[in-house]
Amino acid sequence: MGRTIKIDPVSRIEGHAHITLHLDDAGNIDDAKFHLTQFRGFEKFCEGRPFPEMPALTARTCGICPVSHLVASSKACDHLLSVTIPPTAVNLRRVMNLAQLIQSHALSYFHLSSADLLLGMDSDPKSRNLFGLLKVDPQLAKDGIRLRQIGQTVIEMLGGKKIHPGWMVPGGVSGPLSEDSRTAMLAMIPEGLDIAERTFESFKDLIGKFPEEIQHFGNFPTMFLSLITPRGGLEHYDGFFRIKDADGKIVDDMVPLEEYQRIIGEAVEPYSYMKFPYYLPMGYPDGIYRVGPLARLNNCDFCGTKQADQALDEFRALQHDRPVSSSFHFHFARLVEIIFALERMKELLESPHILDTRVRARARGNNDEGIGVAEAPRGTLIHHYKTDDDGLITWANLIIATGHNNLAMNRGIKQAAEHFVDGNHLQEGMLNRVEAVIRCFDPCLSCASHAFGQMPLRIELHDSRGNVVDQMVR
């Protein structure tokens, strides 16, 4: 009789989830599933609220990447106002979004994944964490903390606080940048770049130790979705959609952000509270694609800054003539993006009008539907609202970066489990590798728990010994 192995909880990720591995009679992997077990429901309890409240409300979705929701939500509200916001406000929003990317990528690489890479996938789980990392490589651990601090400090200087800043508003931002803050931000960038480049070089030395993981950590053909600039460059704030297939062929290009429903469909499965977006023209689940740093670097023609473009060339050398397919290389792409973010932030802070005090356009609601799209650290984030004549929200839909990767994460853990897990001679390191696949994607699960259609609901009543005595399933 087949057995089920449950990995609960999945450790060193943001949020709560478990993995089930289903074995056949011979102990081989028959199936694998990634279960998001928390439920939020922001789309429903935002209904009835005045739309100007949406940036601050939806930012509460997450304590790790609230800035990403501020950006997407503010852009959706700009659309509702039907205004063009001042250029300086756009650039200041870009600076905060890049700071968010730096701190979030640093958290993922240094704090959550580097213990696997430096201590080993089979090392003692009691020391396979940040404290273990401090013992074997204290400089790298300190670098991670400092790099994250730089990103968080920039967010605080702009928004007044590191978590849930309310500074980004419909029509722009609530206040201009001061000369003192700009000077302080620029002073941190050389140190940040030194850390980013040092880490990038050390990571390239590490990846030679993981040929099996590179081959079997979510390494399969999918499409890639991301934003790009009008010239095909790396983009995190605006631009157009691009979708590229596994052979490098552009499937869909220069798609206006307001037309996302033409290319993205949404599905649900009964075992998870996370949606399964897919490329609509190919149907579900054939329309599988990936988002995030791996997709952004695979899709763009160039980064647009000197050192990041050099790093992009090295990224592309990982798999000549076609997009990089192994999800293990999300780590590589993440480090390239940190370099880009620091360089681009410097350019923006040195731009001539960055201290301009005209940073907000004011208007009443002039549209009854607004769509805002941006690149969060983990991938493309979409906010879509509808309002009534009084500007109250009547309908909201959020498509979260982590959700886009849901099909790929499920397929990735199955591929890793089939290669590494022996159901008859189970060892901890085997299961850690399955978890490590999920860490490559750097999921943010509190963000990704969102409603679409009939959501699954299962309530169990347990007795004092933990036995299930009754249950209700919807």
Side-chain angles (χ1 to χ4, degrees):
M1 183 177 178
R3 294 184 294 128
T4 298
I5 300 170
K6 187 174 185 180
I7 304 173
D8 187 12
V10 179
S11 59
R12 285 184 278 136
I13 60 171
E14 194 288 327
H16 307 286
H18 67 257
I19 292 170
T20 51
L21 305 178
H22 304 273
L23 310 181
D24 61 18
D25 293 344
N28 301 314
I29 297 295
D30 183 54
D31 199 4
K33 286 186 167 55
F34 180 57
H35 306 258
L36 174 55
T37 55
Q38 59 194 100
F39 178 69
R40 307 295 292 279
F42 267 73
E43 290 94 336
K44 297 307 293 182
F45 63 70
C46 285
E47 290 180 1
R49 303 306 307 170
F51 79 84
E53 294 182 359
M54 291 300 280
L57 270 177
T58 55
R60 263 62 182 180
T61 304
C62 181
I64 301 295
C65 44
V67 170
S68 303
H69 291 282
L70 272 179
V71 174
S73 182
S74 296
K75 290 181 69 180
C77 291
D78 297 341
H79 195 187
L80 289 168
L81 296 176
S82 191
V83 296
T84 299
I85 75 171
T88 297
V90 172
N91 286 337
L92 290 173
R93 284 182 178 183
R94 285 182 182 274
V95 170
M96 183 179 270
N97 200 36
L98 292 169
Q100 160 78 3
L101 184 140
I102 292 166
Q103 71 86 14
S104 181
H105 279 1
L107 173 66
S108 172
Y109 179 74
F110 291 94
H111 297 186
L112 304 181
S113 288
S114 60
D116 289 328
L117 304 176
L118 285 174
L119 302 171
M121 298 283 176
D122 296 302
S123 59
D124 185 350
K126 291 180 181 176
S127 59
R128 201 171 54 218
N129 49 48
L130 185 60
F131 297 104
L133 193 64
L134 274 167
K135 290 183 179 178
V136 300
D137 195 337
Q139 185 59 52
L140 186 136
K142 291 176 183 175
D143 281 349
I145 292 169
R146 177 56 180 155
L147 198 53
R148 187 155 190 253
Q149 182 186 38
I150 290 172
Q152 292 284 65
T153 301
V154 171
I155 292 170
E156 184 178 30
M157 286 179 172
L158 288 169
K161 53 185 179 178
K162 294 175 181 174
I163 301 175
H164 301 312
W167 166 79
M168 219 175 285
V169 293
V173 297
S174 62
L177 176 65
S178 70
E179 178 65 57
D180 288 347
S181 292
R182 177 172 74 160
T183 301
M185 291 177 193
L186 284 169
M188 291 188 289
I189 289 178
E191 182 189 4
L193 270 173
D194 284 345
I195 293 172
E197 290 166 9
R198 185 164 63 237
T199 307
F200 181 62
E201 293 302 318
S202 68
F203 176 75
K204 289 188 293 182
D205 293 335
L206 271 178
I207 57 178
K209 299 178 180 178
F210 298 94
E212 276 192 274
E213 285 78 7
I214 291 171
Q215 186 62 35
H216 300 284
F217 271 27
N219 189 359
F220 38 67
T222 68
M223 293 178 286
F224 298 95
L225 179 144
S226 72
L227 304 185
I228 56 164
T229 69
R231 295 178 55 235
L234 181 63
E235 176 61 271
H236 294 90
Y237 179 81
D238 208 1
F240 299 87
F241 289 111
R242 171 177 283 179
I243 295 183
K244 189 179 282 187
D245 69 14
D247 294 323
K249 177 186 174 185
I250 294 176
V251 178
D252 227 329
D253 203 15
M254 297 297 164
V255 179
L257 304 186
E258 293 75 19
E259 297 180 16
Y260 81 91
Q261 291 174 305
R262 178 167 69 77
I263 58 172
I264 298 173
E266 301 175 71
V268 293
E269 296 284 0
Y271 60 83
S272 179
Y273 286 119
M274 181 160 42
K275 295 188 282 192
F276 289 76
Y278 59 97
Y279 180 55
L280 191 60
M282 292 184 68
Y284 180 81
D286 293 339
I288 179 175
Y289 60 82
R290 281 174 278 182
V291 300
L294 186 76
R296 290 192 286 260
L297 293 197
N298 276 329
N299 272 358
C300 73
D301 300 327
F302 57 89
C303 290
T305 60
K306 182 179 178 181
Q307 289 165 258
D309 274 326
Q310 292 171 354
L312 178 63
D313 289 340
E314 296 187 66
F315 171 80
R316 293 201 165 135
L318 295 169
Q319 193 163 339
H320 295 286
D321 302 326
R322 61 179 54 201
V324 176
S325 61
S326 174
S327 297
F328 185 90
H329 289 313
F330 267 101
H331 298 310
F332 199 116
R334 211 164 271 130
L335 295 176
V336 176
E337 283 205 322
I338 291 175
I339 295 172
F340 169 79
L342 287 159
E343 289 183 299
R344 182 69 179 127
M345 187 186 295
K346 182 173 185 292
E347 290 178 351
L348 291 166
L349 290 171
E350 290 177 339
S351 62
H353 302 293
I354 197 67
L355 300 180
D356 198 322
T357 57
R358 294 165 292 186
V359 292
R360 185 173 185 179
R362 298 179 185 276
R364 63 184 298 275
N366 291 301
N367 279 326
D368 58 10
E369 189 167 356
I371 296 171
V373 184
E375 287 285 344
R378 295 159 184 84
T380 312
L381 173 63
I382 301 171
H383 281 222
H384 186 178
Y385 311 143
K386 294 180 182 177
T387 62
D388 63 15
D389 291 342
D390 297 320
L392 303 178
I393 296 291
T394 58
W395 178 88
N397 188 31
L398 309 184
I399 303 180
I400 306 299
T402 295
H404 292 287
N405 283 328
N406 203 0
L407 277 168
M409 287 192 289
N410 276 275
R411 192 176 292 185
I413 58 172
K414 184 169 187 286
Q415 182 189 49
E418 287 172 338
H419 182 78
F420 291 108
V421 175
D422 180 348
N424 297 311
H425 303 89
L426 207 58
Q427 297 177 27
E428 193 279 335
M430 300 176 182
L431 302 184
N432 182 46
R433 284 177 171 82
V434 177
E435 289 185 72
V437 173
I438 296 298
R439 292 184 203 114
C440 290
F441 287 89
D442 185 28
C444 190
L445 299 178
S446 58
C447 283
S449 173
H450 287 283
F452 177 74
Q454 182 72 33
M455 295 298 290
L457 180 65
R458 182 189 188 94
I459 299 174
E460 293 183 344
L461 179 63
H462 294 247
D463 64 16
S464 60
R465 295 182 177 179
N467 300 313
V468 177
V469 296
D470 200 359
Q471 63 179 353
M472 184 174 71
V473 178
R474 185 185 75 184

